[in-house]
Amino acid sequence: MRDYRLYSFWRSQAAYRVRIALHLKRVAATIVTVDFASGEQRSETYRAINPNLSVPALFVDDGAPLVSSLAILDYLEEVHPDPAILPEGPRDRAHARALAHAVAVDAHPFIVPRVRDYLEQQLGAGAAARAQWIRHWLDRGLDVAEAMLSGDARTGRFCLGGTPTIADICLVAHITSAKMLFDYDLGRWPTAGHIYQTCMTLPAFLETHPLRQPGAPSELEARLR
Amino acid sequence: MRDYRLYSFWRSQAAYRVRIALHLKRVAATIVTVDFASGEQRSETYRAINPNLSVPALFVDDGAPLVSSLAILDYLEEVHPDPAILPEGPRDRAHARALAHAVAVDAHPFIVPRVRDYLEQQLGAGAAARAQWIRHWLDRGLDVAEAMLSGDARTGRFCLGGTPTIADICLVAHITSAKMLFDYDLGRWPTAGHIYQTCMTLPAFLETHPLRQPGAPSELEARLR
């Protein structure tokens, strides 16, 4: 049995992805909190772990840490293939990855703290302009995912058929950020909304939720729904 | 033999990644130009191909198009495994993917036209502020990649040892954008710079170069060096 230590922060959408995958695969990991609220990710200690200054980072036994949530999801799939979080067949796997990337690559990078800091400090964007920026990319990620899902015969209870894949993991993490930040209603994205509701009946998505992590504020609890 | 049609545009860093992989794997594909200069990616025809309105998109025989360059790289690796563009072993594959993501996920999304448009139209950022934004994320991607490469014993002539992987493909595409846009000198990133030079001796990186694509302006040719 490998020894896993996951560097995580409650609010991080990327760390949530990895917690879901670990739970689905029934792999135990010790959670180590990196306190983004106090800027701990910019410490020299953490910079040596992940020069990107982001979570997650996954230590496996005594090896060098693995970084990038999408790379870690692939690692877990290779080392713990059952249950799978990628569908069978290269075409379906490409579709699952493309759905994951619609939110995790083409939306999520825009809403992280270092980008909000740049908007404020370099471009003089006030709080309202920064909120509009975040909503714009959250919306766009959901628009693209909804278009890809609603027009595809492979879409089922989950993004591809009847079991969760990396596409669902990334979609739920994205929607969870939208709900925590702005209490999103999903009426505009009915297919994505149904899939989110289905996922939120599963312990792997519920028990690893950001609001159930160390340091999460209790007043957001109502937005779990 | 499969029939491949790659929707591409000369300037696109993401399309370049896929052209390199196809060449490395000796897979022939017909190149179809999507003219971003005239906004063709926003046409209804192209929206039906890729709701993300980006290139590349890859048609394989009569199937639905594959989108997202990173998903297409994985597809090609699965269908045409020799020569490999991922190293052996889950840990090394995770490292190659994380290096790829340092530039392709955490830098490239910031410099595409739809983001530059948002900065100009929604945030009132002028030409100088937009150029500074692009350079900031190009620099940051290289800083992270350099830190990951310079501190890792697996780094060789290429990002991992002696053969090119997805890490080299994404790094070279990133640096190529930096050179085409701002004539970057790589002195600040010596490890990445050496790897770039090594890659640029290979036909797979040279013959698929953006400036050798249909529609590329000839006056940038000097920046190929």
Side-chain angles (χ1 to χ4, degrees):
Chain A
M1 200 64 182
R2 288 178 182 80
D3 176 51
Y4 286 113
R5 278 167 296 141
L6 180 70
Y7 282 64
S8 172
F9 183 57
W10 71 268
R11 201 174 54 197
S12 163
Q13 177 179 152
Y16 184 26
R17 293 176 201 139
V18 173
R19 291 196 305 270
I20 297 168
L22 288 165
H23 194 295
L24 282 169
K25 291 177 175 297
R26 302 178 199 93
V27 174
T30 302
I31 302 288
V32 181
T33 294
V34 181
D35 185 20
F36 274 59
S38 69
E40 187 185 350
Q41 78 276 17
R42 293 189 294 272
S43 66
E44 284 310 306
T45 307
Y46 194 71
R47 188 182 296 271
I49 292 172
N50 184 2
N52 197 36
L53 312 184
S54 59
V55 287
L58 182 68
F59 282 85
V60 185
D61 299 330
D62 296 325
L66 307 182
V67 299
S68 167
S69 65
L70 295 171
I72 293 171
L73 294 181
D74 275 308
Y75 171 87
L76 292 173
E77 182 75 347
E78 293 175 5
V79 174
H80 304 281
D82 184 35
I85 55 172
L86 281 170
E88 286 185 36
R91 271 180 199 265
D92 286 354
R93 275 198 290 278
H95 183 54
R97 290 183 196 280
L99 282 165
H101 298 171
V103 288
V105 175
D106 284 318
H108 177 239
F110 296 100
I111 72 166
V112 302
R114 63 175 169 272
V115 181
R116 303 202 300 257
D117 289 347
Y118 189 103
L119 293 178
E120 181 178 6
Q121 293 159 15
Q122 304 296 320
L123 295 174
R130 297 200 303 278
Q132 187 183 28
W133 164 275
I134 294 170
R135 293 187 75 120
H136 176 82
W137 300 111
L138 288 169
D139 287 354
R140 191 181 187 282
L142 281 168
D143 287 344
V144 173
E146 180 70 23
M148 292 174 71
L149 288 165
S150 65
D152 199 293
R154 291 167 287 192
T155 305
R157 294 178 62 230
F158 296 95
C159 288
L160 278 93
T163 52
T165 66
I166 58 165
D168 303 281
I169 290 171
C170 292
L171 181 66
V172 165
H174 179 91
I175 290 174
T176 300
S177 289
K179 284 188 168 282
M180 290 195 303
L181 286 164
F182 300 111
D183 207 6
Y184 262 46
D185 177 282
L186 299 175
R188 173 171 153 191
W189 307 284
T191 316
H194 279 124
I195 290 167
Y196 170 79
Q197 294 293 351
T198 303
C199 290
M200 292 321 261
T201 65
L202 300 181
F205 291 81
L206 282 170
E207 293 175 9
T208 59
H209 193 281
L211 296 182
R212 301 232 164 114
Q213 297 303 301
S218 55
E219 66 268 26
L220 283 172
E221 194 71 33
R223 298 192 186 167
L224 249 176
R225 66 174 181 279
Chain B
M1 199 63 181
R2 288 179 182 79
D3 176 50
Y4 287 113
R5 278 167 296 142
L6 180 70
Y7 282 64
S8 171
F9 184 58
W10 71 270
R11 201 175 53 199
S12 162
Q13 177 179 152
Y16 183 28
R17 292 176 201 140
V18 174
R19 291 196 306 271
I20 298 168
L22 288 165
H23 193 295
L24 282 170
K25 291 177 174 296
R26 302 178 199 93
V27 174
T30 303
I31 301 289
V32 182
T33 294
V34 181
D35 184 20
F36 274 58
S38 70
E40 187 186 350
Q41 77 276 17
R42 292 188 296 271
S43 67
E44 284 310 305
T45 307
Y46 195 71
R47 187 181 296 273
I49 292 172
N50 185 1
N52 197 37
L53 312 184
S54 59
V55 288
L58 182 69
F59 282 85
V60 186
D61 299 331
D62 296 326
L66 307 182
V67 298
S68 167
S69 66
L70 295 171
I72 293 171
L73 293 181
D74 275 307
Y75 171 86
L76 293 173
E77 181 75 347
E78 293 176 5
V79 174
H80 304 282
D82 184 35
I85 55 171
L86 282 170
E88 286 184 36
R91 272 180 198 264
D92 285 355
R93 275 197 290 276
H95 183 54
R97 290 183 195 281
L99 281 165
H101 298 172
V103 288
V105 176
D106 284 318
H108 177 240
F110 295 101
I111 72 166
V112 301
R114 63 175 169 272
V115 181
R116 303 201 300 256
D117 289 348
Y118 189 103
L119 294 178
E120 180 179 7
Q121 293 159 16
Q122 305 296 319
L123 294 174
R130 297 200 303 279
Q132 186 183 30
W133 164 275
I134 295 170
R135 294 187 74 121
H136 176 83
W137 301 111
L138 288 169
D139 286 354
R140 191 182 187 280
L142 281 168
D143 287 344
V144 173
E146 180 70 22
M148 291 174 71
L149 288 165
S150 65
D152 199 294
R154 291 167 288 192
T155 305
R157 294 178 62 232
F158 296 95
C159 289
L160 277 94
T163 52
T165 65
I166 58 166
D168 304 282
I169 290 171
C170 292
L171 181 66
V172 165
H174 179 92
I175 290 174
T176 300
S177 289
K179 284 188 167 284
M180 291 195 302
L181 286 164
F182 300 111
D183 207 5
Y184 263 45
D185 177 282
L186 298 176
R188 174 170 152 191
W189 308 283
T191 316
H194 278 124
I195 291 167
Y196 170 79
Q197 295 293 352
T198 303
C199 290
M200 291 321 262
T201 65
L202 301 182
F205 292 82
L206 281 171
E207 294 175 8
T208 60
H209 193 280
L211 296 182
R212 303 236 163 112
Q213 297 303 303
S218 56
E219 65 268 26
L220 281 173
E221 194 71 32
R223 297 191 185 168
L224 249 176
R225 66 174 181 282

